[in-house]
Amino acid sequence: MSGLFLTQAVLKADWARAPRLWLVTQRAQSVDVADAVVAPDQAMTWGLARTIRLEHPELACTTLDLGVG
């Protein structure tokens, strides 16, 4: 839910130019067929990002999924 609260706070702020919003997850997406998605709970963040991109294109919402470090 922190992504939602962050988005709401950015939208409430009176920015002259809206900042780019980055949402970062870890191992929420598979890159290869052999890769297992080990954090499906983080996939919800990707759904939130899709909604933000549709409803608030001015935020230029970008998602980034990190692999195992």
Side-chain angles (χ1 to χ4, degrees):
M1 285 301 198
S2 60
L4 175 62
F5 296 135
L6 172 65
T7 303
Q8 290 172 336
V10 168
L11 291 170
K12 285 182 184 177
D14 192 21
W15 300 86
R17 183 173 159 219
R20 178 176 213 108
L21 180 64
W22 287 79
L23 298 178
V24 181
T25 58
Q26 185 172 14
R27 298 189 74 187
Q29 300 289 314
S30 292
V31 176
D32 191 1
V33 177
D35 290 343
V37 177
V38 296
D41 57 314
Q42 292 191 31
M44 291 185 293
T45 301
W46 284 69
L48 173 64
R50 273 182 251 140
T51 302
I52 294 168
R53 282 193 291 273
L54 289 171
E55 294 185 6
H56 298 285
E58 71 275 14
L59 295 179
C61 185
T62 303
T63 48
L64 176 67
D65 190 56
L66 306 174
V68 178

PDB file of all heavy atoms in Angstrom, residues 10-33:
ATOM      1  N   VAL A  10       2.028  12.527  -3.868  1.00  0.00           N
ATOM      2  CA  VAL A  10       2.586  13.260  -5.011  1.00  0.00           C
ATOM      3  C   VAL A  10       1.486  14.033  -5.725  1.00  0.00           C
ATOM      4  O   VAL A  10       1.686  15.182  -6.127  1.00  0.00           O
ATOM      5  CB  VAL A  10       3.303  12.285  -5.979  1.00  0.00           C
ATOM      6  CG1 VAL A  10       3.629  12.952  -7.291  1.00  0.00           C
ATOM      7  CG2 VAL A  10       4.569  11.749  -5.331  1.00  0.00           C
ATOM      8  N   LEU A  11       0.317  13.422  -5.862  1.00  0.00           N
ATOM      9  CA  LEU A  11      -0.785  14.102  -6.540  1.00  0.00           C
ATOM     10  C   LEU A  11      -1.326  15.280  -5.734  1.00  0.00           C
ATOM     11  O   LEU A  11      -1.772  16.267  -6.309  1.00  0.00           O
ATOM     12  CB  LEU A  11      -1.909  13.105  -6.842  1.00  0.00           C
ATOM     13  CG  LEU A  11      -1.573  12.066  -7.912  1.00  0.00           C
ATOM     14  CD1 LEU A  11      -2.647  10.990  -7.962  1.00  0.00           C
ATOM     15  CD2 LEU A  11      -1.393  12.731  -9.266  1.00  0.00           C
ATOM     16  N   LYS A  12      -1.276  15.182  -4.406  1.00  0.00           N
ATOM     17  CA  LYS A  12      -1.757  16.279  -3.556  1.00  0.00           C
ATOM     18  C   LYS A  12      -0.791  17.448  -3.514  1.00  0.00           C
ATOM     19  O   LYS A  12      -1.206  18.585  -3.313  1.00  0.00           O
ATOM     20  CB  LYS A  12      -2.008  15.778  -2.131  1.00  0.00           C
ATOM     21  CG  LYS A  12      -3.260  14.956  -1.994  1.00  0.00           C
ATOM     22  CD  LYS A  12      -3.474  14.540  -0.556  1.00  0.00           C
ATOM     23  CE  LYS A  12      -4.674  13.626  -0.447  1.00  0.00           C
ATOM     24  NZ  LYS A  12      -4.880  13.152   0.919  1.00  0.00           N
ATOM     25  N   ALA A  13       0.486  17.176  -3.700  1.00  0.00           N
ATOM     26  CA  ALA A  13       1.493  18.244  -3.676  1.00  0.00           C
ATOM     27  C   ALA A  13       1.278  19.137  -4.893  1.00  0.00           C
ATOM     28  O   ALA A  13       0.906  18.688  -5.969  1.00  0.00           O
ATOM     29  CB  ALA A  13       2.897  17.647  -3.695  1.00  0.00           C
ATOM     30  N   ASP A  14       1.526  20.402  -4.708  1.00  0.00           N
ATOM     31  CA  ASP A  14       1.306  21.361  -5.788  1.00  0.00           C
ATOM     32  C   ASP A  14       2.612  21.575  -6.543  1.00  0.00           C
ATOM     33  O   ASP A  14       3.298  22.579  -6.366  1.00  0.00           O
ATOM     34  CB  ASP A  14       0.782  22.674  -5.205  1.00  0.00           C
ATOM     35  CG  ASP A  14       0.264  23.606  -6.277  1.00  0.00           C
ATOM     36  OD1 ASP A  14      -0.059  23.130  -7.381  1.00  0.00           O
ATOM     37  OD2 ASP A  14       0.194  24.817  -6.012  1.00  0.00           O
ATOM     38  N   TRP A  15       2.979  20.601  -7.375  1.00  0.00           N
ATOM     39  CA  TRP A  15       4.217  20.662  -8.144  1.00  0.00           C
ATOM     40  C   TRP A  15       3.992  21.507  -9.397  1.00  0.00           C
ATOM     41  O   TRP A  15       2.965  21.398 -10.049  1.00  0.00           O
ATOM     42  CB  TRP A  15       4.648  19.274  -8.582  1.00  0.00           C
ATOM     43  CG  TRP A  15       4.913  18.322  -7.473  1.00  0.00           C
ATOM     44  CD1 TRP A  15       4.000  17.544  -6.838  1.00  0.00           C
ATOM     45  CD2 TRP A  15       6.164  18.034  -6.854  1.00  0.00           C
ATOM     46  NE1 TRP A  15       4.607  16.782  -5.873  1.00  0.00           N
ATOM     47  CE2 TRP A  15       5.942  17.059  -5.862  1.00  0.00           C
ATOM     48  CE3 TRP A  15       7.459  18.489  -7.053  1.00  0.00           C
ATOM     49  CZ2 TRP A  15       6.950  16.540  -5.076  1.00  0.00           C
ATOM     50  CZ3 TRP A  15       8.477  17.975  -6.271  1.00  0.00           C
ATOM     51  CH2 TRP A  15       8.219  17.022  -5.292  1.00  0.00           C
ATOM     52  N   ALA A  16       4.959  22.301  -9.753  1.00  0.00           N
ATOM     53  CA  ALA A  16       4.887  23.027 -11.021  1.00  0.00           C
ATOM     54  C   ALA A  16       4.958  22.023 -12.169  1.00  0.00           C
ATOM     55  O   ALA A  16       4.305  22.179 -13.193  1.00  0.00           O
ATOM     56  CB  ALA A  16       6.036  24.028 -11.121  1.00  0.00           C
ATOM     57  N   ARG A  17       5.756  20.999 -11.976  1.00  0.00           N
ATOM     58  CA  ARG A  17       5.883  19.911 -12.949  1.00  0.00           C
ATOM     59  C   ARG A  17       5.905  18.609 -12.151  1.00  0.00           C
ATOM     60  O   ARG A  17       6.738  18.443 -11.259  1.00  0.00           O
ATOM     61  CB  ARG A  17       7.177  20.082 -13.732  1.00  0.00           C
ATOM     62  CG  ARG A  17       7.364  19.067 -14.799  1.00  0.00           C
ATOM     63  CD  ARG A  17       8.589  19.403 -15.640  1.00  0.00           C
ATOM     64  NE  ARG A  17       9.012  18.190 -16.316  1.00  0.00           N
ATOM     65  CZ  ARG A  17      10.258  17.842 -16.500  1.00  0.00           C
ATOM     66  NH1 ARG A  17      11.227  18.619 -16.061  1.00  0.00           N
ATOM     67  NH2 ARG A  17      10.551  16.743 -17.118  1.00  0.00           N
ATOM     68  N   ALA A  18       5.015  17.711 -12.475  1.00  0.00           N
ATOM     69  CA  ALA A  18       4.923  16.452 -11.720  1.00  0.00           C
ATOM     70  C   ALA A  18       6.209  15.641 -11.865  1.00  0.00           C
ATOM     71  O   ALA A  18       6.764  15.540 -12.956  1.00  0.00           O
ATOM     72  CB  ALA A  18       3.738  15.627 -12.220  1.00  0.00           C
ATOM     73  N   PRO A  19       6.697  15.078 -10.753  1.00  0.00           N
ATOM     74  CA  PRO A  19       7.909  14.251 -10.831  1.00  0.00           C
ATOM     75  C   PRO A  19       7.604  12.882 -11.438  1.00  0.00           C
ATOM     76  O   PRO A  19       6.456  12.433 -11.448  1.00  0.00           O
ATOM     77  CB  PRO A  19       8.320  14.098  -9.361  1.00  0.00           C
ATOM     78  CG  PRO A  19       7.027  14.186  -8.620  1.00  0.00           C
ATOM     79  CD  PRO A  19       6.180  15.158  -9.395  1.00  0.00           C
ATOM     80  N   ARG A  20       8.623  12.246 -11.948  1.00  0.00           N
ATOM     81  CA  ARG A  20       8.473  10.879 -12.466  1.00  0.00           C
ATOM     82  C   ARG A  20       8.357   9.935 -11.268  1.00  0.00           C
ATOM     83  O   ARG A  20       9.102  10.041 -10.300  1.00  0.00           O
ATOM     84  CB  ARG A  20       9.684  10.509 -13.305  1.00  0.00           C
ATOM     85  CG  ARG A  20       9.616   9.105 -13.812  1.00  0.00           C
ATOM     86  CD  ARG A  20      10.788   8.792 -14.732  1.00  0.00           C
ATOM     87  NE  ARG A  20      10.314   7.872 -15.716  1.00  0.00           N
ATOM     88  CZ  ARG A  20      10.094   8.147 -16.990  1.00  0.00           C
ATOM     89  NH1 ARG A  20      10.359   9.327 -17.451  1.00  0.00           N
ATOM     90  NH2 ARG A  20       9.628   7.243 -17.809  1.00  0.00           N
ATOM     91  N   LEU A  21       7.414   9.020 -11.326  1.00  0.00           N
ATOM     92  CA  LEU A  21       7.177   8.081 -10.236  1.00  0.00           C
ATOM     93  C   LEU A  21       7.784   6.729 -10.597  1.00  0.00           C
ATOM     94  O   LEU A  21       7.473   6.158 -11.637  1.00  0.00           O
ATOM     95  CB  LEU A  21       5.676   7.933  -9.989  1.00  0.00           C
ATOM     96  CG  LEU A  21       5.248   6.991  -8.880  1.00  0.00           C
ATOM     97  CD1 LEU A  21       5.748   7.494  -7.522  1.00  0.00           C
ATOM     98  CD2 LEU A  21       3.747   6.852  -8.857  1.00  0.00           C
ATOM     99  N   TRP A  22       8.666   6.230  -9.741  1.00  0.00           N
ATOM    100  CA  TRP A  22       9.303   4.922  -9.930  1.00  0.00           C
ATOM    101  C   TRP A  22       8.794   3.984  -8.851  1.00  0.00           C
ATOM    102  O   TRP A  22       8.870   4.304  -7.655  1.00  0.00           O
ATOM    103  CB  TRP A  22      10.821   5.038  -9.793  1.00  0.00           C
ATOM    104  CG  TRP A  22      11.483   5.702 -10.948  1.00  0.00           C
ATOM    105  CD1 TRP A  22      11.537   7.050 -11.188  1.00  0.00           C
ATOM    106  CD2 TRP A  22      12.179   5.072 -12.013  1.00  0.00           C
ATOM    107  NE1 TRP A  22      12.228   7.287 -12.334  1.00  0.00           N
ATOM    108  CE2 TRP A  22      12.644   6.083 -12.870  1.00  0.00           C
ATOM    109  CE3 TRP A  22      12.458   3.752 -12.318  1.00  0.00           C
ATOM    110  CZ2 TRP A  22      13.371   5.814 -14.015  1.00  0.00           C
ATOM    111  CZ3 TRP A  22      13.181   3.474 -13.455  1.00  0.00           C
ATOM    112  CH2 TRP A  22      13.626   4.499 -14.297  1.00  0.00           C
ATOM    113  N   LEU A  23       8.310   2.814  -9.242  1.00  0.00           N
ATOM    114  CA  LEU A  23       7.898   1.782  -8.298  1.00  0.00           C
ATOM    115  C   LEU A  23       8.828   0.585  -8.509  1.00  0.00           C
ATOM    116  O   LEU A  23       8.939   0.059  -9.618  1.00  0.00           O
ATOM    117  CB  LEU A  23       6.444   1.379  -8.523  1.00  0.00           C
ATOM    118  CG  LEU A  23       5.417   2.501  -8.330  1.00  0.00           C
ATOM    119  CD1 LEU A  23       4.017   1.993  -8.634  1.00  0.00           C
ATOM    120  CD2 LEU A  23       5.476   3.064  -6.932  1.00  0.00           C
ATOM    121  N   VAL A  24       9.498   0.166  -7.437  1.00  0.00           N
ATOM    122  CA  VAL A  24      10.519  -0.874  -7.526  1.00  0.00           C
ATOM    123  C   VAL A  24      10.075  -2.111  -6.739  1.00  0.00           C
ATOM    124  O   VAL A  24       9.627  -2.003  -5.602  1.00  0.00           O
ATOM    125  CB  VAL A  24      11.877  -0.364  -6.979  1.00  0.00           C
ATOM    126  CG1 VAL A  24      12.949  -1.432  -7.092  1.00  0.00           C
ATOM    127  CG2 VAL A  24      12.302   0.907  -7.713  1.00  0.00           C
ATOM    128  N   THR A  25      10.210  -3.276  -7.379  1.00  0.00           N
ATOM    129  CA  THR A  25       9.908  -4.548  -6.735  1.00  0.00           C
ATOM    130  C   THR A  25      11.129  -5.457  -6.865  1.00  0.00           C
ATOM    131  O   THR A  25      12.089  -5.115  -7.543  1.00  0.00           O
ATOM    132  CB  THR A  25       8.694  -5.235  -7.396  1.00  0.00           C
ATOM    133  OG1 THR A  25       8.967  -5.443  -8.783  1.00  0.00           O
ATOM    134  CG2 THR A  25       7.433  -4.412  -7.225  1.00  0.00           C
ATOM    135  N   GLN A  26      11.057  -6.601  -6.214  1.00  0.00           N
ATOM    136  CA  GLN A  26      12.139  -7.574  -6.337  1.00  0.00           C
ATOM    137  C   GLN A  26      11.547  -8.948  -6.592  1.00  0.00           C
ATOM    138  O   GLN A  26      10.751  -9.452  -5.801  1.00  0.00           O
ATOM    139  CB  GLN A  26      13.011  -7.616  -5.087  1.00  0.00           C
ATOM    140  CG  GLN A  26      14.207  -8.532  -5.250  1.00  0.00           C
ATOM    141  CD  GLN A  26      15.178  -8.418  -4.092  1.00  0.00           C
ATOM    142  OE1 GLN A  26      14.868  -7.872  -3.053  1.00  0.00           O
ATOM    143  NE2 GLN A  26      16.368  -8.947  -4.287  1.00  0.00           N
ATOM    144  N   ARG A  27      11.923  -9.534  -7.736  1.00  0.00           N
ATOM    145  CA  ARG A  27      11.502 -10.873  -8.167  1.00  0.00           C
ATOM    146  C   ARG A  27       9.984 -11.026  -8.260  1.00  0.00           C
ATOM    147  O   ARG A  27       9.429 -12.065  -7.939  1.00  0.00           O
ATOM    148  CB  ARG A  27      12.101 -11.936  -7.272  1.00  0.00           C
ATOM    149  CG  ARG A  27      13.632 -11.909  -7.342  1.00  0.00           C
ATOM    150  CD  ARG A  27      14.277 -13.044  -6.673  1.00  0.00           C
ATOM    151  NE  ARG A  27      14.078 -14.246  -7.520  1.00  0.00           N
ATOM    152  CZ  ARG A  27      14.409 -15.449  -7.142  1.00  0.00           C
ATOM    153  NH1 ARG A  27      14.955 -15.635  -5.967  1.00  0.00           N
ATOM    154  NH2 ARG A  27      14.211 -16.486  -7.927  1.00  0.00           N
ATOM    155  N   ALA A  28       9.325  -9.999  -8.752  1.00  0.00           N
ATOM    156  CA  ALA A  28       7.882 -10.067  -8.960  1.00  0.00           C
ATOM    157  C   ALA A  28       7.533 -10.498 -10.375  1.00  0.00           C
ATOM    158  O   ALA A  28       6.403 -10.885 -10.640  1.00  0.00           O
ATOM    159  CB  ALA A  28       7.246  -8.710  -8.669  1.00  0.00           C
ATOM    160  N   GLN A  29       8.503 -10.435 -11.284  1.00  0.00           N
ATOM    161  CA  GLN A  29       8.274 -10.773 -12.681  1.00  0.00           C
ATOM    162  C   GLN A  29       9.279 -11.833 -13.130  1.00  0.00           C
ATOM    163  O   GLN A  29      10.433 -11.800 -12.727  1.00  0.00           O
ATOM    164  CB  GLN A  29       8.440  -9.526 -13.568  1.00  0.00           C
ATOM    165  CG  GLN A  29       7.491  -8.399 -13.235  1.00  0.00           C
ATOM    166  CD  GLN A  29       6.067  -8.714 -13.642  1.00  0.00           C
ATOM    167  OE1 GLN A  29       5.830  -9.192 -14.739  1.00  0.00           O
ATOM    168  NE2 GLN A  29       5.130  -8.455 -12.761  1.00  0.00           N
ATOM    169  N   SER A  30       8.829 -12.740 -13.975  1.00  0.00           N
ATOM    170  CA  SER A  30       9.725 -13.740 -14.556  1.00  0.00           C
ATOM    171  C   SER A  30      10.360 -13.183 -15.816  1.00  0.00           C
ATOM    172  O   SER A  30       9.692 -12.539 -16.620  1.00  0.00           O
ATOM    173  CB  SER A  30       8.969 -15.006 -14.919  1.00  0.00           C
ATOM    174  OG  SER A  30       8.539 -15.663 -13.767  1.00  0.00           O
ATOM    175  N   VAL A  31      11.635 -13.457 -16.000  1.00  0.00           N
ATOM    176  CA  VAL A  31      12.336 -13.044 -17.200  1.00  0.00           C
ATOM    177  C   VAL A  31      12.455 -14.224 -18.152  1.00  0.00           C
ATOM    178  O   VAL A  31      12.379 -14.081 -19.365  1.00  0.00           O
ATOM    179  CB  VAL A  31      13.738 -12.492 -16.850  1.00  0.00           C
ATOM    180  CG1 VAL A  31      14.505 -12.142 -18.102  1.00  0.00           C
ATOM    181  CG2 VAL A  31      13.615 -11.289 -15.933  1.00  0.00           C
ATOM    182  N   ASP A  32      12.615 -15.398 -17.598  1.00  0.00           N
ATOM    183  CA  ASP A  32      12.808 -16.614 -18.375  1.00  0.00           C
ATOM    184  C   ASP A  32      11.787 -17.659 -17.912  1.00  0.00           C
ATOM    185  O   ASP A  32      11.298 -17.594 -16.785  1.00  0.00           O
ATOM    186  CB  ASP A  32      14.238 -17.132 -18.159  1.00  0.00           C
ATOM    187  CG  ASP A  32      14.629 -18.239 -19.108  1.00  0.00           C
ATOM    188  OD1 ASP A  32      13.819 -18.621 -19.971  1.00  0.00           O
ATOM    189  OD2 ASP A  32      15.766 -18.731 -18.986  1.00  0.00           O
ATOM    190  N   VAL A  33      11.498 -18.607 -18.753  1.00  0.00           N
ATOM    191  CA  VAL A  33      10.562 -19.671 -18.394  1.00  0.00           C
ATOM    192  C   VAL A  33      11.046 -20.427 -17.158  1.00  0.00           C
ATOM    193  O   VAL A  33      10.250 -20.841 -16.319  1.00  0.00           O
ATOM    194  CB  VAL A  33      10.377 -20.643 -19.582  1.00  0.00           C
ATOM    195  CG1 VAL A  33       9.460 -21.784 -19.202  1.00  0.00           C
ATOM    196  CG2 VAL A  33       9.823 -19.890 -20.776  1.00  0.00           C
TER     197      VAL A  33
END
